[in-house]
Amino acid sequence: MRVVRLDAPRLLAEAGELAGLLAETVDGGASVGFLAPLDTAEAAAWWRERADAVAAGELTVWVAYDGRRPAGTVGLALPGKPNSRHRAEVVKLLVRRDARGRGLGRTLLTTAERAAEASGITLLHLDTESGSPAEHLYRSAGWIRAGAIPDYAADPHGVLRPTTLYYKRIGAARAAG
């Protein structure tokens, strides 16, 4: 498995393949902002819309390839406000169903954490559906539960579910305590 950081042109070129990954993930029950069934054309359009943010340095996207097809992805959304440049949000950590259980989610999460630390980010945050399998990954990777918000987002079937917020101090902030 190789993990590659995508620039904007490559993101545009890979939008169709990434759409398949996103649609499969949503159809499999992951609450990542879409309702099921997710049309691959809609998913591809969503990925293409991210290209400007990647080009502007506001979003970083990595893709894990199992051979030639994407097996997983993760992104870092970087805030543009002067008072928040020390933090980033981990977004769209997706792993194909047939690639789960082999450490790919952890590999992608670690890739994002290391890249954030190398760029001077000292605080990461994310949200995930409460009770989802992703919570185990985040807790086991040292993320701290900040709290939960009831009825925050609809799951892929349209049912409102609570969301749990997590954060992790990295780099200099982690060393300081």
Side-chain angles (χ1 to χ4, degrees):
M1 198 77 58
R2 66 188 167 90
V3 178
V4 176
R5 181 177 170 174
L6 301 187
D7 60 14
R10 183 142 182 208
L11 178 63
L12 289 169
E14 297 280 333
E17 289 291 323
L18 292 170
L21 170 62
L22 179 57
E24 177 190 303
T25 304
V26 171
D27 292 347
S31 181
V32 292
F34 299 90
L35 298 176
L38 178 59
D39 178 74
T40 54
E42 179 185 348
W46 182 86
W47 279 109
R48 283 191 297 275
E49 290 167 4
R50 311 277 77 76
D52 286 345
V54 169
E58 299 164 353
L59 176 67
T60 307
V61 176
W62 292 270
V63 177
Y65 292 93
D66 185 5
R68 293 186 55 152
R69 84 178 182 154
T73 185
V74 67
L76 270 180
L78 306 166
K81 298 176 188 164
N83 73 340
S84 59
R85 292 195 178 125
H86 66 289
R87 63 180 158 90
E89 180 179 9
V90 173
V91 296
K92 299 298 181 270
L93 177 56
L94 312 172
V95 176
R96 267 193 204 282
R97 281 181 263 186
D98 63 3
R100 292 182 187 158
R102 295 186 279 164
L104 181 54
R106 170 129 6 225
T107 296
L108 288 164
L109 186 61
T110 300
T111 296
E113 290 175 2
R114 288 181 179 159
E117 185 173 352
S119 68
I121 300 292
T122 57
L123 180 67
L124 294 172
H125 64 97
L126 60 81
D127 66 81
T128 192
E129 182 180 320
S130 300
S132 71
E135 282 198 285
H136 173 73
L137 169 63
Y138 301 132
R139 285 192 306 266
S140 69
W143 287 70
I144 299 167
R145 182 183 187 276
I149 303 171
D151 299 336
Y152 184 77
D155 69 13
H157 306 291
V159 177
L160 292 178
R161 301 282 186 194
T163 292
T164 302
L165 308 174
Y166 285 90
Y167 71 93
K168 186 173 187 178
R169 292 176 179 263
I170 60 174
R174 180 182 56 219

